[in-house]
Amino acid sequence: MDQLLSWNDQYWAWVVIPLIVLTSLLYLVLTKGVQFRLFGQMIRGLREDPGESTEGHRKVSAFQAFAISSAARVGTGNIVGVSTAIAVGGPGAVFWMWIMAITVAATAFAESTLAQVYKERTPEGFKGGPAYYMKHGLKAPWLGAVFAVILIFTYPFSFNMVQANTFTGAVNDSLDGMGVATGDATTWTIAVVLAAITAVVVFGGLQRIAHFAQLAVPVMALIYLGLGTAIVVINADELPGAIASIFNSAFGIEQFAGAALGTVIIQGVRRGMFSNEGGMGSAPNAGATATVSHPVKQGLTQAFGVYFDTIFICSISAFIILTTNPVYGDANVNLVTRGVDAALGGWALQVMALILVLFTFTSVVGNYFYGESSIRYLRDSRWTVGGLRVIVVALVLVGSVASLETVWSIADVTMGLMATVNLVAVLGLTGVTVKVLRDYDRQRKAGLDPVFTRDSVPGLSGLQVWEPEDAPVTAVRD
């Protein structure tokens, strides 16, 4: 296992990270900085009305699709991942996490735009993602199958077991803090309850997942942002020093815990990717479900998801840590929890436990959805989807009580492979993304609310929807 982890570190350092940086910089240039110049459109797109559902075709709004992807994105990585990055790489890792988010937002835009272009229609609405743009765009259905298998193993299986384990740990810690004796019986009780709630949500299908995510994501984000803001305000005098340490450490001017500049950069970039999932090929599975008038609209919405995850949520974690005198060097210490305790006292640990419970459970639901999208690509039948739901609920139960170091390590490897396959496809379809974006820009320049049909961009093939007769009436934008 140690040899596998060593190989994986090298693979990330020399293949995955250079590939995501290359892809993101290419899209940054070709789209003329789409993640900057159309930032206002990202926010506006969240409010787009999908219209009334029709018989046999249910609609998911742009915000619901954003919430589903954010449910999976926003998890323990925003707390534990940031803590590990700072503990090992020092405050400078935060700077490179920011740079990664700003840069990779271009790739996040591209992959979700492509997911919209090549999505398919189903009785439940739309389905799509990297496997589908590999099939219809690259004409390589075999590559889509490879991607789908890797994603199923990584997200709904491995990652959900880890998230479930974190969930039971957070509840047990909360009970311990209230003086309640915990043990195996308590853990199993929590596990059964978690599995039951998971079953209720995932067996309800896409619409139930979308409505759950729409409610849960804003609540958990507001609670955490509120807690973090309170701590920063209390320790406002420490904020200038914290910001200075981020920039000084980022360029090797100061070293923390002996972290060399290379370690600082690798920790920031890698943990940033773990958290916001830009370029990983996961979020497009949610992005494809939205009913929007133009693919670019959902591409922009998912690019905003990268900002939401890293610039907002991860930054709050970083400032909680850096304004409460952190101790560097030990990756096993949760510096966020330590900072909350130092700033607000023991009562706030109960709030942190609640936040972890929300973060982990929404991740379980979001991860499952990615798995359902992939299993439908491999074989779209009631039995295969039902089988996946049973397996996921069972693994949530097992993960809640198991030791998961090996599972996490293997999933880390498969996530790198998943990103590689997706990025190769995104690069291969660069021309499609750029042409679709030009169509969007052209319509906006003419004062229109952009509407896309399969005739909008001459020469595009493999489109499964976007028929002209289904297009909404074009309106003048305000």
Side-chain angles (χ1 to χ4, degrees):
M1 183 56 68
D2 289 342
Q3 186 174 359
L4 176 65
L5 294 179
S6 176
W7 174 87
N8 187 51
D9 287 341
Q10 295 299 312
Y11 184 72
W12 273 87
W14 296 103
V15 177
V16 180
I17 291 176
L19 187 57
I20 185 65
V21 171
L22 171 65
T23 305
S24 298
L25 291 177
L26 177 65
Y27 270 103
L28 174 66
V29 173
L30 294 179
T31 64
K32 301 176 183 178
V34 66
Q35 68 266 52
F36 307 122
R37 66 183 179 88
L38 294 179
F39 183 81
Q41 296 298 308
M42 296 181 186
I43 307 300
R44 186 174 291 116
L46 289 169
R47 304 195 304 268
E48 180 164 359
D49 185 357
E52 294 296 324
S53 297
T54 57
E55 185 177 353
H57 182 69
R58 300 171 185 171
K59 295 183 178 182
V60 173
S61 70
F63 180 75
Q64 286 176 326
F66 166 79
I68 292 170
S69 62
S70 294
R73 276 193 181 110
V74 180
T76 54
N78 298 83
I79 297 175
V80 180
V82 174
S83 173
T84 301
I86 294 176
V88 176
V94 178
F95 173 84
W96 294 108
M97 197 178 292
W98 289 338
I99 295 298
M100 188 63 183
I102 292 170
T103 306
V104 83
T107 299
F109 161 80
E111 60 184 357
S112 285
T113 297
L114 289 170
Q116 275 284 325
V117 170
Y118 294 107
K119 67 186 179 181
E120 296 180 2
R121 195 187 311 275
T122 75
E124 285 197 343
F126 294 112
K127 65 177 181 179
Y132 295 85
Y133 54 71
M134 292 170 195
K135 176 182 178 181
H136 301 303
L138 291 180
K139 313 300 182 187
W142 65 269
L143 188 62
V146 170
F147 178 87
V149 170
I150 296 174
L151 185 148
I152 290 169
F153 180 85
T154 305
Y155 279 86
F157 289 1
S158 301
F159 282 2
N160 267 3
M161 291 178 71
V162 175
Q163 295 287 357
N165 197 268
T166 304
F167 181 99
T168 54
V171 175
N172 272 325
D173 288 345
S174 177
L175 293 174
D176 287 338
M178 292 186 289
V180 177
T182 59
D184 290 343
T186 310
T187 299
W188 273 104
T189 301
I190 297 167
V192 170
V193 171
L194 173 60
I197 298 173
T198 302
V200 169
V201 176
V202 302
F203 275 93
L206 172 59
Q207 291 297 313
R208 185 173 294 174
I209 292 172
H211 287 301
F212 167 79
Q214 183 180 22
L215 294 173
V217 168
V219 170
M220 71 180 188
L222 286 173
I223 292 174
Y224 191 53
L225 289 173
L227 182 72
T229 300
I231 292 173
V232 171
V233 169
I234 290 171
N235 297 308
D237 55 330
E238 299 289 337
L239 190 58
I243 295 173
S245 69
I246 289 174
F247 288 94
N248 289 336
S249 173
F251 299 101
I253 298 172
E254 286 184 69
Q255 285 194 353
F256 293 80
L261 181 58
T263 302
V264 176
I265 295 174
I266 291 295
Q267 282 294 321
V269 171
R270 188 169 171 181
R271 293 295 170 181
M273 281 191 71
F274 280 169
S275 181
N276 63 52
E277 299 180 12
M280 303 300 296
S282 51
N285 294 279
T289 65
T291 299
V292 291
S293 66
H294 200 289
V296 164
K297 291 184 176 182
Q298 187 58 204
L300 292 171
T301 298
Q302 294 300 332
F304 177 73
V306 173
Y307 291 155
F308 173 75
D309 177 273
T310 304
I311 304 300
F312 298 149
I313 306 296
C314 287
S315 294
I316 281 293
S317 294
F319 285 121
I320 288 174
I321 293 170
L322 297 176
T323 58
T324 52
N325 298 315
V327 177
Y328 303 100
D330 188 351
N332 295 316
V333 176
N334 188 331
L335 296 178
V336 176
T337 301
R338 181 182 177 278
V340 169
D341 186 26
L344 301 177
W347 68 268
L349 295 180
Q350 298 298 323
V351 180
M352 275 300 299
L354 173 62
I355 290 168
L356 274 173
V357 164
L358 287 171
F359 277 22
T360 53
F361 182 67
T362 55
S363 290
V364 166
V365 174
N367 291 345
Y368 161 75
F369 175 77
Y370 293 161
E372 179 174 321
S373 178
S374 294
I375 203 73
R376 287 185 183 277
Y377 175 83
L378 296 172
R379 183 175 176 80
D380 192 354
S381 76
R382 186 175 49 141
W383 296 106
T384 54
V385 173
L388 176 70
R389 290 170 177 170
V390 170
I391 292 171
V392 166
V393 172
L395 290 178
V396 164
L397 184 64
V398 172
S400 297
V401 297
S403 175
L404 299 172
E405 289 185 16
T406 301
V407 173
W408 177 261
S409 299
I410 295 174
D412 193 13
V413 174
T414 60
M415 190 163 67
L417 296 174
M418 190 178 94
T420 302
V421 175
N422 179 57
L423 291 169
V424 167
V426 171
L427 283 172
L429 294 168
T430 300
V432 174
T433 308
V434 173
K435 289 177 182 177
V436 173
L437 176 59
R438 285 175 182 167
D439 175 70
Y440 178 87
D441 285 335
R442 176 185 58 79
Q443 293 190 51
R444 285 194 67 244
K445 189 175 181 180
L448 303 173
D449 181 15
V451 173
F452 182 80
T453 71
R454 60 176 61 208
D455 299 328
S456 298
V457 179
L460 283 189
S461 63
L463 277 65
Q464 306 300 300
V465 295
W466 302 110
E467 297 86 354
E469 60 269 20
D470 291 341
V473 177
T474 304
V476 177
R477 64 182 173 87
D478 48 33

